[in-house]
Amino acid sequence: MNDEQRTQPDDVPHQQSETRPEHGEGPVQPCQWPVAAVAGGGAAPPPAVFRELRERFPDLPLTEQTTADGIPTAWIPREQTAQVLRYLGREAAEPFAMLYDLGGVDERERLHREGMPDAAFSVFYHLVSYSRNADVRLKVALPEERPEVDSVAGIWPAAGWYERELWDMFGVGVAGHPQLKRLLNPPWWDGHPLRKEHPSRGTEYGPFEMSEDVFDEMQEQLRFKPEEWGLPRTEDDPTLMYLNIGPQHGATHGPFRVVVGLRDEEIVHLVPDIGYHHRGSEKMAERQSWHTYIPYTDRVDYLGGVTNNLPYVLSVEKLCGIEVPERAQLVRILLCEAFRIASHLVFYGTFAQDIGALSPVFYMFEDRERLFDDVIEPITGGRMHPNWFRIGGLAEDLPTGWKQPVLDYLDYLPARLDEYDRLVMDNRIMKARTVGVSAITVDEAVAWGLTGPMLRAAGLPWDWRKQRPYSHYDWFEFDVPVGTTGDAYDRAAVHVEEMRQSLRIMRQVVEAMPDGPYKAFHPLTTPPAKEPHTMHDIESLITHFLGVTWGPVVPPGEACIYTEGTKGQYSYYTISDGATSPYRVKIRTASFPHLQVLPKLCTGYEIADLVTVLGSIDFVMADVDK
Amino acid sequence: MAWYWQLLIVLGVLIAALTIAAGLIWYERRLLSLVQDRYGPNRVGPAGLLQVLADTVKIIFKEDWVPPFADRRVFVVAPSLVLITALLSFMVVPVAEGWVVIDLDIGLLFILAMSSLAVYSVVLAGWSSRSKYSLVGGLRAAAQMVSYEVFMGLSLIGVVALAGSFDLGDIVEAQEGLWYVVPQFVGFVVFLVAGLAETRRIPFDLTEAESELVAGYHTEYSGMKFGLFLVGEYVAITLFSALIATLFFGGWLGPWLPGVVWFLIKTFIFITLFILIRGTFPRPRYDQLMALGWKAMLPLSLLNLLITGAIVVARAG
């Protein structure tokens, strides 16, 4: 099967067609495969940011690449990377202050590389500018032997972990990185997993053995050695105590390890260690078909359910040029907002519990249970991981009688939220524990790549649902709650208010829900109808057969669509090489940078504040480790 | 008093204190569950009452394990201290008129002394475990209990001044006309807060602080040694509830019902209060706890002492 998946779509019957199927036409549209070259942007004028770069660096060889998502994308030579990125990130007027994503691609097996420079590996830098509401993706081509880029951690502190991940996953060196160690894989790991030659399932290895020696060596490598992190040893500084917290600890919300250097109870050093929840979600994408990867996305932010499906299916739809019917889009919003509430309720309860309040978590789980029972389960049939969105629409239509339970829940929750305000947010001990703890400014938050409630709590009213509406979010009225100081209290307060706004959106969606198909009648997502096509026409029959056996063959291209997930900004940077499975999927999750900033947030505070901060960040380890 | 009567009281108080403490495990779990929209243990026996028995059997049959890195002797002794001191304090608490194990003139001082000794249990447990979490928990316990003891003692001086005695029986009898909660309301509040801190209950459970320190000073304990800490905590809750009832709410005094019933009713009301507080409050930070103690509670109890003293002197004068 694996070999078959690798075959190229040239075997697939192509039919040239100029007309894109439009929604509402019903299942009688002819079966067509879109032309590969059509998918992706047209011939637009060069983006402003590239004009700016050419003015600033007249000799810069800038190889532009057209991508399906329309994000300005260009290849720059490796030698000038640091210079160009420094200009964009720091020196430019209205700089690209956020390093949104950074990752690698193994280009060696990629067939459709028209117009791109030769490369064995490439590294992409995805930058976002809030002041311009614009983004840019710069790529660097690297050779097979000793690939290396320069560190950009000096420009964006957020780059630290992304560069370690790059080294870990691709073996791409990062010159000038202070601690270039493995991040997600254990230090003894052999090979770089996201390289194409690395095995992707256990049966590709020999039988598993672990001798006593290896076991002891692995244990020894887990021992915290401060000198490896540039920290003083306790022998040299007797007033210092290193305390290992995790990976199994009640406050870490999953397998997360953090080593704190304490002086009395004050945190003077803090070293987070992640990777204990790493499951290789990105590697798995490369061997799943486009559709069968959707359930894996559910489990990335496992509290977010379908909100994880959305950025993935949006990207694939963009690659395929699928227009999703209105009804499907609104159901998506409805479910996403329901899951936002479910996720925030977990946040709210565990936040209170981390500060020592025992009871609230039970109330909030009760509310979440109702949401699952009354809204999510009747519609999707699933609870936490419903695997409900499909490329081009939804798995099924809304069930009969879905409306009243949703409206009942919308009436039920606000009173409960008001009560929790009195119990939790107005509590004086709660305020004493959270107000002023680990405050962060907007500039710092942006530089560290914080998004979602973390960014809004710092004071920037930025919500992708407002700024770049997707799935018709612009049809609905809602406010974007912001904090002022970005401290733990503000972060919690923003979460709480977002639940109210989600309820508002849900009510409007319920009222506005149009009739119509729940999925697009696009040949890449819906098999041709049996009558009058499949049963009479051999081409349709072949297409039908391929569609249900292989799944769709997505045209070559690249797309990355942002969504405002439960915890921040999410995207699946999806690269198709015209095959039945993705060539590369880079998952950008919100929790990853949110946890990276922990040393900055906690240093100078007490050990009890570490727990407060962890509670206020709203991270999920599966979301961090992927 | 006949020796058998004396023996009966000793055994009665001992068994009653231990039974109530064990029953509290059930009571607290069920009551907290009610607060938290759930059922709690309701399977073993009627209303889950035999859960305590099941838990006791389980905990007794667990392996009696001492971590290899711990200081063995101290590690073993520490848990028994907390229970012993709490039980000894019960000696001087009058359950009803004349129902007291030993009628000490300095009853209240004896209780304060025992309460001070109880600190050793926690500190030694944290110290001898040789684990960092235990150590931090033990250090917090030392600081917290020593500081809260200061104004716990001070808050009671007002009562002593009004009653003119350290004997708990005399103090109860002096409340015949008016319970001391009225003239000594400030003392009552301070004592209640100090009692929470001394028993290491939420909101003052910083020594355990499960979200930070795993289980604080008793992280390394298991089996019956852990059980002793648990029972010790419940005996201490019972003790402080009994003390509040005795010192501020007239002990066994009350119309119609026998004295011992009144005493038990009042004690249970405060036990319930302790549990409801646990179901409601978050936990302050360590430095905030200290600030509350030294900057609010201490001045408050000193002021209370000053005013009470002035009134007592003026009356006598």
Side-chain angles (χ1 to χ4, degrees):
Chain A
M1 187 63 206
N2 191 27
D3 291 337
E4 210 174 358
Q5 282 188 349
R6 290 267 172 262
T7 48
Q8 288 312 306
D10 296 353
D11 312 340
V12 178
H14 281 250
Q15 281 190 359
Q16 306 286 323
S17 162
E18 297 303 311
T19 52
R20 282 275 169 71
E22 285 171 23
H23 93 85
E25 283 184 5
V28 285
Q29 57 183 247
C31 164
Q32 292 143 355
W33 293 89
V35 190
V38 172
V49 57
F50 292 152
R51 282 203 306 274
E52 191 182 328
L53 274 183
R54 288 208 172 91
E55 277 168 27
R56 176 70 178 72
F57 303 100
D59 324 328
L60 181 73
L62 202 66
T63 316
E64 284 184 45
Q65 182 190 342
T66 314
T67 56
D69 52 20
I71 293 175
T73 305
W75 295 70
I76 51 174
R78 182 225 172 291
E79 299 74 34
Q80 280 165 283
T81 321
Q83 199 186 355
V84 171
L85 290 175
R86 176 165 295 280
Y87 169 74
L88 287 176
R90 286 282 171 83
E91 293 155 15
E94 300 191 321
F96 288 82
M98 177 163 85
L99 176 73
Y100 172 66
D101 201 359
L102 187 166
V105 180
D106 184 344
E107 303 273 353
R108 288 172 298 176
E109 292 181 10
R110 193 168 174 186
L111 299 171
H112 296 269
R113 305 193 69 255
E114 297 83 7
M116 302 183 211
D118 283 340
F121 298 98
S122 66
V123 173
F124 68 89
Y125 300 86
H126 190 153
L127 315 179
V128 168
S129 167
Y130 288 116
S131 42
R132 306 180 190 201
N133 191 5
D135 29 22
V136 58
R137 190 189 287 128
L138 293 174
K139 296 188 175 188
V140 183
L142 297 173
E144 183 147 11
E145 291 299 314
R146 294 178 57 85
E148 194 179 55
V149 290
D150 292 321
S151 173
V152 292
I155 310 170
W156 302 279
W161 274 10
Y162 285 105
E163 287 175 343
R164 281 177 65 192
E165 189 188 7
L166 181 69
W167 161 248
D168 191 4
M169 292 298 172
F170 290 94
V172 173
V174 182
H177 193 286
Q179 277 138 6
L180 196 63
K181 297 179 176 48
R182 285 190 182 275
L183 181 70
L184 297 175
N185 290 294
W188 61 79
W189 194 261
D190 188 23
H192 299 282
L194 282 179
R195 288 189 172 198
K196 289 288 180 186
E197 75 267 15
H198 193 279
S200 59
R201 51 159 59 176
T203 48
E204 293 171 42
Y205 289 92
F208 178 75
E209 280 172 20
M210 186 184 275
S211 64
E212 286 284 317
D213 298 343
V214 176
F215 181 80
D216 290 344
E217 191 198 327
M218 289 179 175
Q219 288 280 309
E220 184 55 32
Q221 278 178 336
L222 282 176
R223 185 189 297 279
F224 179 72
K225 299 176 192 73
E227 55 274 17
E228 283 181 4
W229 299 92
L231 301 178
R233 296 185 305 166
T234 42
E235 290 89 336
D236 306 330
D237 188 349
T239 59
L240 197 63
M241 174 173 94
Y242 287 104
L243 182 66
N244 178 71
I245 299 177
Q248 306 298 335
H249 185 284
T252 56
H253 295 222
F256 166 55
R257 180 183 177 209
V258 55
V259 180
V260 285
L262 295 176
R263 191 161 277 142
D264 296 335
E265 289 215 9
E266 189 194 329
I267 297 169
V268 285
H269 306 295
L270 191 145
V271 181
D273 180 20
I274 64 169
Y276 296 92
H277 210 313
H278 179 59
R279 300 157 301 174
S281 299
E282 293 174 1
K283 185 78 176 173
M284 281 191 265
E286 294 172 18
R287 54 172 303 123
Q288 294 294 326
S289 77
W290 291 95
H291 256 132
T292 57
Y293 185 56
I294 297 174
Y296 292 91
T297 65
D298 267 339
R299 285 145 180 88
V300 169
D301 163 16
Y302 54 70
L303 296 177
V306 297
T307 51
N308 293 291
N309 301 160
L310 190 60
Y312 173 68
V313 296
L314 284 178
S315 300
V316 179
E317 282 156 9
K318 195 64 145 180
L319 280 174
C320 301
I322 299 173
E323 299 270 339
V324 180
E326 277 170 11
R327 182 174 173 88
Q329 303 224 25
L330 293 208
V331 177
R332 283 178 178 182
I333 295 187
L334 183 75
L335 264 296
C336 281
E337 294 309 314
F339 266 103
R340 190 186 311 281
I341 293 171
S343 171
H344 281 14
L345 281 171
V346 174
F347 161 82
Y348 205 179
T350 51
F351 170 71
Q353 196 177 33
D354 281 339
I355 296 174
L358 287 179
S359 300
V361 69
F362 290 99
Y363 308 144
M364 288 138 192
F365 268 67
E366 163 76 19
D367 293 343
R368 176 168 171 262
E369 205 58 32
R370 269 187 196 232
L371 184 62
F372 278 142
D373 288 349
D374 297 349
V375 178
I376 291 169
E377 203 173 343
I379 293 179
T380 68
R383 288 164 60 84
M384 284 176 75
H385 312 126
N387 175 28
W388 172 248
F389 293 174
R390 292 289 182 276
I391 299 163
L394 307 165
E396 277 181 88
D397 204 353
L398 291 170
T400 41
W402 63 277
K403 198 178 258 184
Q404 196 51 44
V406 177
L407 289 173
D408 287 347
Y409 190 80
L410 298 179
D411 292 334
Y412 157 81
L413 195 61
R416 301 275 289 195
L417 288 178
D418 292 344
E419 196 180 341
Y420 303 152
D421 273 353
R422 293 195 296 277
L423 179 68
V424 180
M425 299 308 286
D426 295 346
N427 184 298
R428 286 179 59 184
I429 298 179
M430 190 65 79
K431 282 188 174 168
R433 282 294 302 275
T434 54
V435 173
V437 170
S438 75
I440 190 164
T441 65
V442 172
D443 287 345
E444 288 168 335
V446 170
W448 280 92
L450 308 188
T451 53
M454 291 277 279
L455 181 64
R456 293 192 282 273
L460 187 68
W462 195 277
D463 189 318
W464 292 103
R465 293 174 293 177
K466 283 268 188 214
Q467 303 296 339
R468 296 206 200 148
Y470 50 92
S471 298
H472 299 313
Y473 265 111
D474 47 339
W475 290 5
F476 305 106
E477 273 182 27
F478 63 100
D479 298 327
V480 179
V482 284
T484 47
T485 59
D487 60 9
Y489 187 84
D490 278 359
R491 289 198 278 272
V494 166
H495 276 93
V496 173
E497 186 54 33
E498 277 188 18
M499 282 192 268
R500 295 204 171 88
Q501 297 303 327
S502 290
L503 290 172
R504 249 177 99 185
I505 299 174
M506 281 174 78
R507 189 177 294 280
Q508 295 174 61
V509 171
V510 169
E511 281 159 10
M513 185 65 70
D515 291 332
Y518 64 92
K519 59 182 177 179
F521 294 102
H522 188 283
L524 281 180
T525 178
T526 306
K530 286 192 177 160
E531 294 292 341
H533 299 293
T534 309
M535 306 307 281
H536 304 281
D537 172 15
I538 186 67
E539 284 295 332
S540 293
L541 186 63
I542 292 172
T543 307
H544 190 288
F545 179 73
L546 291 177
V548 291
T549 51
W550 281 11
V553 175
V554 170
E558 302 179 5
C560 166
I561 311 289
Y562 306 151
T563 59
E564 189 71 39
T566 56
K567 291 162 182 64
Q569 194 176 353
Y570 284 77
S571 67
Y572 285 62
Y573 175 34
T574 311
I575 300 179
S576 170
D577 202 22
T580 51
S581 48
Y583 184 79
R584 165 98 169 99
V585 172
K586 173 72 171 79
I587 307 174
R588 199 281 183 183
T589 64
S591 302
F592 187 79
H594 288 181
L595 208 51
Q596 184 181 201
V597 75
L598 197 63
K600 156 131 192 69
L601 291 181
C602 290
T603 311
Y605 291 96
E606 292 194 21
I607 181 140
D609 295 323
L610 169 68
V611 181
T612 311
V613 174
L614 284 176
S616 73
I617 284 181
D618 187 20
F619 62 93
V620 159
M621 281 319 290
D623 199 33
V624 179
D625 293 344
K626 296 183 280 267
Chain B
M1 207 182 287
W3 65 268
Y4 55 85
W5 180 237
Q6 193 75 37
L7 191 69
L8 205 66
I9 291 180
V10 169
L11 284 178
V13 169
L14 183 66
I15 290 169
L18 284 177
T19 313
I20 290 173
L24 273 189
I25 298 176
W26 173 84
Y27 184 60
E28 168 156 47
R29 288 181 65 182
R30 291 297 308 235
L31 191 60
L32 268 184
S33 306
L34 274 181
V35 171
Q36 294 167 350
D37 282 356
R38 57 194 178 95
Y39 290 113
N42 63 351
R43 300 283 134 169
V44 194
L49 265 173
L50 295 182
Q51 183 71 44
V52 177
L53 198 68
D55 284 350
T56 315
V57 170
K58 183 195 79 172
I59 214 164
I60 284 175
F61 280 96
K62 275 199 167 185
E63 186 185 354
D64 187 44
W65 190 73
V66 178
F69 45 81
D71 182 344
R72 196 180 171 86
R73 271 178 298 182
V74 184
F75 188 83
V76 172
V77 170
S80 52
L81 268 181
V82 69
L83 186 60
I84 291 173
T85 51
L87 281 176
L88 280 177
S89 306
F90 263 106
M91 283 203 312
V92 296
V93 178
V95 180
E97 192 163 11
W99 291 25
V100 60
V101 176
I102 180 165
D103 202 4
L104 271 184
D105 296 348
I106 51 155
L108 207 50
L109 288 182
F110 180 77
I111 285 172
L112 291 177
M114 283 298 126
S115 163
S116 304
L117 276 179
V119 183
Y120 280 101
S121 169
V122 177
V123 175
L124 289 178
W127 188 258
S128 66
S129 296
R130 291 202 182 141
S131 138
K132 288 173 181 174
Y133 287 112
S134 305
L135 181 68
V136 175
L139 288 177
R140 282 185 181 182
Q144 172 181 331
M145 293 173 77
V146 167
S147 5
Y148 272 69
E149 212 149 73
V150 171
F151 49 84
M152 181 171 80
L154 282 175
S155 68
L156 294 182
I157 301 299
V159 172
V160 173
L162 288 181
S165 170
F166 278 108
D167 186 323
L168 290 171
D170 294 348
I171 291 174
V172 172
E173 274 162 14
Q175 298 179 61
E176 191 77 66
L178 182 68
W179 289 354
Y180 280 163
V181 66
V182 179
Q184 283 298 311
F185 186 74
V186 176
F188 162 66
V189 171
V190 174
F191 185 74
L192 181 69
V193 172
L196 283 170
E198 286 292 304
T199 49
R200 306 175 298 279
R201 297 277 299 180
I202 280 179
F204 299 133
D205 65 334
L206 283 93
T207 57
E208 293 168 35
E210 83 288 339
S211 56
E212 305 151 30
L213 300 182
V214 189
Y217 63 93
H218 58 47
T219 306
E220 303 293 336
Y221 280 88
S222 63
M224 199 54 216
K225 289 198 285 296
F226 169 75
L228 284 178
F229 277 120
L230 199 70
V231 175
E233 181 178 322
Y234 284 109
V235 173
I237 293 166
T238 318
L239 174 71
F240 272 92
S241 306
L243 281 177
I244 293 171
T246 308
L247 297 170
F248 296 99
F249 289 85
W252 67 78
L253 298 175
W256 310 306
L257 296 171
V260 64
V261 176
W262 272 117
F263 175 77
L264 285 177
I265 289 173
K266 290 172 185 173
T267 306
F268 263 98
I269 288 173
F270 288 104
I271 288 174
T272 308
L273 181 69
F274 269 65
I275 293 170
L276 290 182
I277 286 175
R278 181 172 177 204
T280 315
F281 279 96
R283 178 190 305 123
R285 210 169 48 212
Y286 177 63
D287 55 318
Q288 292 163 347
L289 178 83
M290 286 298 157
L292 175 75
W294 292 105
K295 290 180 185 163
M297 291 295 155
L298 185 68
L300 212 59
S301 49
L302 283 174
L303 199 66
N304 179 44
L305 184 61
L306 196 71
I307 294 169
T308 313
I311 290 171
V312 169
V313 170
R315 274 216 203 129

